[in-house]
């Protein structure tokens, strides 16, 4: 394990437009005895290498979140930040809330509660070596290419293809530079 201090930004500000239930957003839906985002957060709050956990929520959800989960966030020692119009805006808002002494930043989708500790350990260990690392899984599905959505043109060879997952971990300075270079220069 590295000596880096890590902040985890849990992105929970999305619209959940692909989620089947119009009454809930994915991170706030119940999974067993608690909301999905709480399952995701528990993977990070008690880790020795995680110095800060920030939950980024939509401004539209602020009242609901505080009413339903404010006490959870307080007990877990989480910072709650309001997101922006797009995911990158929300992550930038979370990044602006990272404590000054933190050197690494992990971004994790709050709607992804199914993580294994060894996966987190591995991506947290690799990121300081190169400046960034992402969790990924090999593509196992058969992938087809079609230009007209009707005719299969070819089957894509999935050798060497991976699906990006979260957490995605970055050296803080590298992530801040990337955001600054693309219009988010508040850091």
């Amino acid at each position: 394990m590295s000596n880096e201090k890590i902040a985890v930004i849990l992105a929970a500000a999305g619209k959940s437009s692909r989620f089947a239930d119009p009454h809930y957003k994915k991170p706030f839906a119940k999974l067993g005895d608690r909301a999905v985002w709480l399952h995701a957060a528990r993977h990070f709050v008690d880790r020795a290498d995680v110095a800060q956990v920030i939950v980024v929520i939509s401004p539209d959800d602020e009242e609901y979140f505080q009413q339903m989960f404010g006490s959870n966030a307080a007990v877990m020692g989480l910072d709650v930040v309001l997101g922006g119009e797009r995911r990158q805006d929300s992550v930038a808002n979370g990044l602006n809330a990272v404590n000054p002494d933190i050197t690494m930043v992990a971004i994790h989708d709050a709607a992804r509660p199914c993580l294994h500790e060894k996966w987190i350990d591995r991506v947290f260990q690799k990121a300081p070596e190169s400046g960034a690392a992402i969790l990924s899984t090999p593509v196992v599905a058969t992938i087809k290419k079609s230009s007209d959505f009707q005719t299969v043109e070819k089957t894509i060879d999935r050798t060497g293809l991976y699906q990006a997952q979260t957490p995605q971990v970055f050296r803080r300075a590298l992530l801040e530079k990337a955001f600054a270079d693309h219009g988010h220069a508040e850091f």
Side-chain angles (χ1 to χ4, degrees):
M1 215 48 75
S2 146
N3 290 333
E4 305 282 352
K5 285 185 162 184
I6 301 170
V8 176
I9 298 171
L10 286 174
K15 293 179 178 51
S16 293
S17 57
R18 294 174 298 193
F19 193 51
D21 190 331
H23 304 344
Y24 293 105
K25 291 185 175 179
K26 285 183 286 188
F28 307 139
K30 282 270 192 180
L31 178 62
D33 62 340
R34 64 182 73 141
V36 169
W37 81 269
L38 285 165
H39 286 283
R42 76 176 168 81
H43 291 291
F44 303 103
V45 294
D46 293 326
R47 291 184 61 95
D49 50 2
V50 173
Q52 183 181 17
V53 178
I54 300 163
V55 181
V56 183
I57 61 170
S58 169
D60 294 340
D61 297 329
E62 183 177 20
E63 185 177 332
Y64 172 79
F65 184 89
Q66 289 304 329
Q67 181 181 26
M68 297 299 294
F69 307 114
S71 60
N72 297 98
V75 167
M76 296 170 80
L78 308 179
D79 295 320
V80 179
V81 172
L82 297 181
E85 183 65 30
R86 302 166 301 167
R87 182 178 177 94
Q88 58 264 39
D89 301 324
S90 295
V91 171
N93 290 354
L95 188 55
N96 281 323
V98 171
N99 293 335
D101 62 328
I102 292 186
T103 55
M104 301 295 294
V105 177
I107 302 163
H108 183 66
D109 188 339
R112 293 185 186 219
C114 299
L115 285 174
H116 195 286
E117 187 176 342
K118 70 180 179 183
W119 300 341
I120 300 169
D121 290 344
R122 193 166 187 193
V123 75
F124 278 15
Q125 181 181 21
K126 290 292 182 184
E129 295 173 12
S130 64
I134 65 169
L135 188 63
S136 65
T137 56
V139 172
V140 294
T142 301
I143 307 295
K144 303 289 185 180
K145 181 175 183 336
S146 174
S147 297
D148 63 6
F149 301 105
Q150 295 177 24
T151 307
V152 173
E153 295 168 17
K154 70 179 189 176
T155 301
I156 306 296
D157 178 10
R158 60 185 177 230
T159 304
L161 295 181
Y162 292 83
Q163 290 178 294
Q165 304 288 332
T166 62
Q168 300 170 350
V169 188
F170 305 88
R171 185 156 302 286
R172 179 185 186 160
L174 181 66
L175 188 57
E176 287 177 344
K177 182 179 180 340
F179 273 95
D181 288 350
H182 295 283
H184 294 279
E186 292 184 36
F187 313 107

